[in-house]
Amino acid sequence: MPGITDILQQFEPISLAEMEGVKLMNRIDTKFVMPASLLPELLALAQTSYFVQQAAGKRTGDYDTVFVGFPIWWYTAPRIVNTFLESYDFT
């Protein structure tokens, strides 16, 4: 299974300047629970309608602080959170 970062690299970029002319959607947060194995397929479907923001030639920002929030069941983080924390380069 390809990594999410690899899949997002296939999306067309959109710059901050190009974002000036984009009408932003009204946002309603809806959360879905699904197997992580479906994410590559869903991203492939979204690729024709969405862009990845790119600023200064980079698709990810340099953050000083990253907040991760999630529900705690039985004092254990959901496995997908652990996967993210293990795979993301925080250096």
Side-chain angles (χ1 to χ4, degrees):
M1 178 171 72
I4 302 305
T5 303
D6 298 328
I7 294 169
L8 291 176
Q9 287 299 324
Q10 298 172 15
F11 277 62
E12 290 293 320
I14 187 167
S15 69
L16 291 174
E18 292 169 313
M19 289 288 295
E20 292 284 329
V22 174
K23 183 180 184 312
L24 299 178
M25 299 181 290
N26 290 333
R27 181 175 160 182
I28 298 174
D29 284 341
T30 304
K31 311 265 186 307
F32 297 96
V33 176
M34 64 180 176
S37 61
L38 289 179
L39 189 54
E41 181 180 346
L42 292 174
L43 287 173
L45 293 171
Q47 190 172 352
T48 59
S49 301
Y50 291 89
F51 299 90
V52 172
Q53 188 176 32
Q54 184 168 307
K58 295 171 68 176
R59 290 178 176 232
T60 57
D62 293 327
Y63 297 99
D64 293 327
T65 304
V66 175
F67 291 94
V68 178
F70 50 86
I72 295 287
W73 294 289
W74 301 285
Y75 306 101
T76 305
R79 287 178 40 197
I80 191 71
V81 172
N82 290 332
T83 300
F84 167 74
L85 294 174
E86 291 166 2
S87 65
Y88 193 82
D89 182 7
F90 289 102
T91 58

